[in-house]
Amino acid sequence: MNSAPGSGSGIVNDSRRRAIAWLVLALMSLANFGNYYVYDSIGPVADLLQRQRDFSDSQIGMLNAIYSLPNVVLILLGGILVDRYGTGRMLVWTALICLAGAALTAWSPAFTGMAAGRLLFGIGAETFNIATIAAVVKYFTGRNLAFAVGTSIAIGRAGAFSADMSPTWFAAAYAEGWQPPLVIATVLAALSAAAVVGYWWLDRSRGHADPRTPGASRRFSLRDLTGFGPAYWYLLVLCVLWYSVIFAFRSTFAIKYFQHAHGLDLAAAGAINAWVFLAALFATPAFGWLCDRTGRYAPWLAFGALLLPVSIAVMAVSNGSLWIGTVLIGVSFSLVPAVMWPLTAKLVPQSRLGTAIGLMWVVQNAGMAGANLMAGWLNDSYAAGPQNPAGYEPMMIYFFVSSALGFVFAVMLWHTAGRGHHEAVTHAR
C-alpha cells in the first residue's frame, strides 16, 4: 500500500484495487447464492405442501406472493436507505432479516407462520438485492461493469439451480417431508449472512476510500423520483412484466406444471427446470462481457425479452420434449438480467442508483405478487391438476400475454435509447 503524504489513510495501488474489487465480487456472488436458494426453495416442496399439509395452489402462490407484497412500498425506501447509509450496513441488516425469515418459514407449524416467514424474508431480500448490485457497481466501472454484474447474478442463479436440483441432491431430506428441505434453505441463508459480514468488514476497513463510492450521507429528495429520462421508464415497465412472468412461472408453478401437464415425476420436473439454468452460470457473464465490448445494451435486452413469450408458447403447445422451451427461457433468464441492471447504472447517476432500482422493484414486486396470485387463482378456478392438465392453459395464456407486452416495451426502449448511438448515456445524466 502506498501512502499519500499528509494522509491518515493509505491509497491502494491499481493492482490491489483490482484484487479488492474481485474479492468484493466473490463475496456478493456468495451472498446472492444463498439468497436465491431461499427464494426458490418453495417450488420444490410445493407438491409436498399440497399432499402433506393440504395447501391449495392459492396458498402455495401466496407463499411467494407475500414475499413481494411488502416491497410494493418498502423496496423504494430500501433503495433510498442504500443511497443514504451505504451498502455495507444495509447488507448486514437485511441479511439478518432474511435469515430470520428463512428460519421462521422452516420451523412454523402452520400456514400463517410460514407466510409470516416469507413476508419477513421478503422485507429484507429485495433491499438486500439492491445493495448487492450497488456494491458491485461501487467497485467496478467502465468496460467490466456488465461482466461483473452478470457474474454476480450468475452465481445467484446457481443458488436457484441448486434449489431446483435439491430433490435429487438431498433426496433423503425430501423423503422425510416438507420441513428438512426448508431447513437446508435456512443454512444457506446463514452462509449468505456470513458473506455480507465479510464485505462489511472489508468495506469499512478501507474507510470508503474508493473515489467511485457514492456519498453515503446524501439526503433523499422527491426530485430523485422524477428526474429520470423516458428510457428509464420503459425499462421499468419491461422489468415488472418480465420478472412477473419469469418468477411466477419458474419459481412457483413450473415444477408442478411439468409434473401434472407433462407427466414428469418430481425429480425429473426439478431437473428440467434447473439444468438449463446451469448454463446461466456461464451465459450471464458472457452476455455481460459481450454487451460491455459492443456497447449495444438495448438490442440485446429486446432479444432476451422476446425469448420469454416464445418459450412460454413452446411449452404450452408442445406435447414433445420440454427442452426447447426451457432452453429458450434459460437464455432469456441469462440475458435480460445481464443487460438490465448495468443499463440501469448507465441510465441514472450513481448517487441515485439505489433509488432508481428501488423504484423499479416497487412495481416489479407488485407485478410478481399479482402474477403469483393470478396464476394460483386461474389454476384453482379451472381445477388444474394431474387429473385435468388442460386446467393449466389459462395460466400459460396469461404468462404469454404479459411477457409479449414486456417485449413491446423493450422495443420502445431500444428506439428511445437510440439504435445507432450505442445507448447514449445522455438520457441518464
Side-chain angles (χ1 to χ4, degrees):
M1 179 177 292
N2 300 321
S3 298
S7 174
S9 61
I11 301 175
V12 295
N13 57 34
D14 288 342
S15 177
R16 181 167 175 79
R17 187 188 301 277
R18 287 193 297 268
I20 291 174
W22 289 111
L23 178 57
V24 165
L25 178 59
L27 291 171
M28 292 300 94
S29 298
L30 182 59
N32 277 335
F33 181 95
N35 191 265
Y36 279 56
Y37 187 102
V38 176
Y39 178 82
D40 281 317
S41 61
I42 296 299
V45 298
D47 187 61
L48 291 172
L49 291 172
Q50 193 167 56
R51 289 190 290 108
Q52 297 178 355
R53 306 190 68 181
D54 296 322
F55 284 8
S56 67
D57 265 14
S58 294
Q59 287 177 309
I60 293 170
M62 176 60 74
L63 289 178
N64 274 347
I66 202 169
Y67 165 98
S68 303
L69 288 174
N71 293 302
V72 173
V73 176
L74 293 182
I75 193 61
L76 176 58
L77 175 61
I80 294 169
L81 291 176
V82 169
D83 288 340
R84 178 73 174 87
Y85 293 106
T87 55
R89 278 184 285 183
M90 291 306 299
L91 278 169
V92 172
W93 295 344
T94 54
L96 294 177
I97 293 173
C98 290
L99 177 57
L104 182 58
T105 303
W107 277 284
S108 293
F111 170 77
T112 53
M114 291 188 70
R118 293 295 289 181
L119 176 67
L120 188 60
F121 177 71
I123 289 172
E126 292 298 277
T127 300
F128 177 93
N129 290 336
I130 289 180
T132 59
I133 293 175
V136 173
V137 171
K138 178 177 173 179
Y139 284 86
F140 285 87
T141 188
R143 292 168 65 87
N144 289 321
L145 176 59
F147 174 76
V149 173
T151 299
S152 178
I153 293 173
I155 302 303
R157 300 301 184 215
F161 168 81
S162 299
D164 282 342
M165 290 302 299
S166 59
T168 300
W169 293 350
F170 305 114
Y174 279 83
E176 294 180 13
W178 62 271
Q179 187 173 45
L182 296 180
V183 173
I184 294 172
T186 304
V187 173
L188 269 295
L191 179 65
S192 179
V196 301
V197 169
Y199 167 79
W200 171 80
W201 176 85
L202 177 66
D203 198 50
R204 187 181 182 189
S205 68
R206 297 189 65 230
H208 302 285
D210 196 314
R212 290 168 290 183
T213 301
S217 62
R218 184 182 184 277
R219 293 188 179 277
F220 172 73
S221 168
L222 288 177
R223 294 184 60 187
D224 291 343
L225 300 180
T226 60
F228 303 124
Y232 168 81
W233 296 107
Y234 293 140
L235 185 63
L236 180 147
V237 177
L238 168 61
C239 174
V240 64
L241 291 170
W242 187 87
Y243 272 101
S244 295
V245 173
I246 202 81
F247 279 106
F249 178 69
R250 181 190 174 274
S251 297
T252 307
F253 292 107
I255 293 176
K256 192 168 178 287
Y257 171 73
F258 293 154
Q259 288 178 269
H260 297 168
H262 291 273
L264 302 183
D265 61 28
L266 175 59
I272 201 169
N273 198 43
W275 274 110
V276 294
F277 296 105
L278 181 62
L281 296 178
F282 310 98
T284 305
F287 284 131
W289 179 88
L290 183 62
C291 291
D292 282 334
R293 295 309 180 268
T294 64
R296 303 301 299 271
Y297 291 84
W300 287 108
L301 189 63
F303 176 67
L306 174 63
L307 294 181
L308 184 55
V310 172
S311 66
I312 293 293
V314 168
M315 286 186 287
V317 304
S318 174
N319 292 322
S321 174
L322 290 171
W323 283 106
I324 296 176
T326 49
V327 165
L328 291 176
I329 202 172
V331 174
S332 181
F333 199 50
S334 302
L335 178 54
V336 171
V339 180
M340 182 177 291
W341 305 120
L343 180 57
T344 305
K346 291 177 177 294
L347 292 174
V348 302
Q350 187 177 348
S351 62
R352 297 165 61 195
L353 179 61
T355 302
I357 296 177
L359 183 58
M360 291 173 70
W361 285 0
V362 166
V363 292
Q364 173 189 315
N365 278 279
M368 288 168 60
N372 272 291
L373 294 174
M374 176 62 75
W377 177 79
L378 287 171
N379 289 345
D380 287 340
S381 297
Y382 288 87
Q387 306 304 320
N388 182 33
Y392 286 101
E393 291 178 3
M395 176 186 75
M396 298 301 282
I397 292 172
Y398 166 69
F399 286 150
F400 173 80
V401 172
S402 296
S403 55
L405 286 174
F407 169 67
V408 171
F409 279 92
V411 173
M412 294 171 67
L413 168 63
W414 182 6
H415 176 74
T416 301
R419 298 174 60 179
H421 297 87
H422 300 287
E423 279 54 78
V425 183
T426 54
H427 289 283
R429 306 302 183 189

